[in-house]
Amino acid sequence: MSAPTVRLWHLYPREMNIYADRGNIAVLRTRLHRRELDLELREVGPGEGPPDDGADLVYLGGGQDRDQLTVAADLAATKAAALRGLLEGGAVGLFVCGGYQLAGHSYRTAAGETVGGLGVLDVETVAGDGRLIGDIVLASELAGGSEAGRLVGYENHAGRTTLGDGAKALGRVLKGHGNNGRDRSEGAVVNRTLGTYLHGPLLPKNPWLADLLLGWALEHRYGRGFDLEPLDDRLELAAHRAALARANRRR
């Protein structure tokens, strides 16, 4: 019998991969393999339609404005309808920085161009005058509001994102700027689709979030819950604590 497998679509891995965002894929694969589970990775680029056999987890990383313009046009032409259907049907989505902006309704660039988004997150983004940069720490209710629900990362974005009524924040900003530098929100969650500005990459320093996404993805594939075996996360938690300490030292 084959091992349980997560089918992952990595969207535009060459066009949207700044700030080491591809590292998130490596974390998902490694955490599955350490449990003798499998990852079936499909990289989908410009001009390519979605694979016919579906996906349990969709990932899109960050990119510059020029990359987002190119990717947005291709998404609309080749993949948007299938992606919306998947995510509305319970598949998991993780959209980081530029990918987060494209997951919303629209993004207006610093040059005044409006980039149409997927609309799977109820957010709007407008480029601001300066960049929001630095270490960031969140408290997220996705882990039940416990200490384990803390998220750490690094943000570097000009976009100012505002949540609509149909989305809730991924977390409350304890250190850093977040979505817009004003309301202390960061990221957005709709169903099992997450958007965030946290780079670094995100998942190596936040293993609980990686496992949450994997558990959801396995449930989507097999129609039942999965109790993932605990892993020895001493290195991951040491990285988490180092990022937290760095954020607390910043002035």
Side-chain angles (χ1 to χ4, degrees), residues 9 138 158 197 248:
W9 291 355
L138 314 179
Y197 281 115
N248 285 330

Side-chain angles (χ1 to χ4, degrees), residues 13-250:
R14 286 161 288 282
E15 294 77 15
M16 302 285 283
N17 179 42
I18 58 175
Y19 305 118
D21 286 334
R22 187 187 288 266
N24 290 317
I25 303 296
V27 169
L28 294 169
R29 177 189 287 112
T30 298
R31 295 189 73 79
L32 285 169
H33 286 178
R34 288 169 68 187
R35 297 176 167 111
E36 300 184 350
L37 307 174
D38 284 338
L39 181 72
E40 182 181 299
L41 177 63
R42 302 287 184 87
E43 294 185 344
V44 185
E48 298 176 315
D52 294 333
D53 55 353
D56 310 299
L57 199 159
V58 175
Y59 179 73
L60 180 59
Q64 304 293 340
D65 283 0
R66 63 179 181 275
D67 301 316
Q68 290 188 56
L69 287 165
T70 300
V71 163
D74 189 77
L75 269 175
T78 63
K79 304 173 184 65
L83 286 170
R84 292 188 193 105
L86 265 176
L87 296 172
E88 290 169 3
V92 182
L94 178 59
F95 296 84
V96 177
C97 202
Y100 174 27
Q101 294 167 353
L102 286 177
H105 299 299
S106 66
Y107 168 51
R108 192 172 75 232
T109 72
E113 298 174 277
T114 297
V115 183
L118 285 167
V120 294
L121 291 174
D122 186 16
V123 303
E124 300 274 1
T125 303
V126 176
D129 293 333
R131 301 191 70 81
L132 304 178
I133 301 174
D135 296 293
I136 182 168
V137 181
L138 314 179
S140 176
E141 295 183 357
L142 284 182
S146 66
E147 182 72 10
R150 190 170 52 197
L151 292 170
V152 297
Y154 192 85
E155 59 181 337
N156 184 349
H157 56 100
R160 271 53 166 181
T161 298
T162 303
L163 274 61
D165 293 339
K168 64 179 182 180
L170 172 62
R172 176 174 55 87
V173 176
L174 304 177
K175 298 283 184 178
H177 304 284
N179 280 329
N180 48 56
R182 300 186 308 271
D183 62 16
R184 311 306 292 171
S185 72
E186 204 292 319
V189 181
V190 174
N191 299 321
R192 291 182 169 180
T193 298
L194 278 62
T196 181
Y197 281 115
L198 271 64
H199 287 292
L202 166 68
L203 297 181
K205 298 182 290 293
N206 299 291
W208 73 263
L209 182 60
D211 283 351
L212 179 67
L213 298 175
L214 290 173
W216 284 349
L218 287 162
E219 182 179 342
H220 176 262
R221 178 76 185 271
Y222 296 101
R224 62 179 178 85
F226 273 75
D227 293 325
L228 293 175
E229 175 188 350
L231 298 176
D232 180 354
D233 284 332
R234 282 177 290 181
L235 289 176
E236 292 84 351
L237 295 177
H240 179 101
R241 289 191 294 269
L244 179 63
R246 186 171 60 245
N248 285 330
R249 285 197 301 267
R250 292 182 68 90

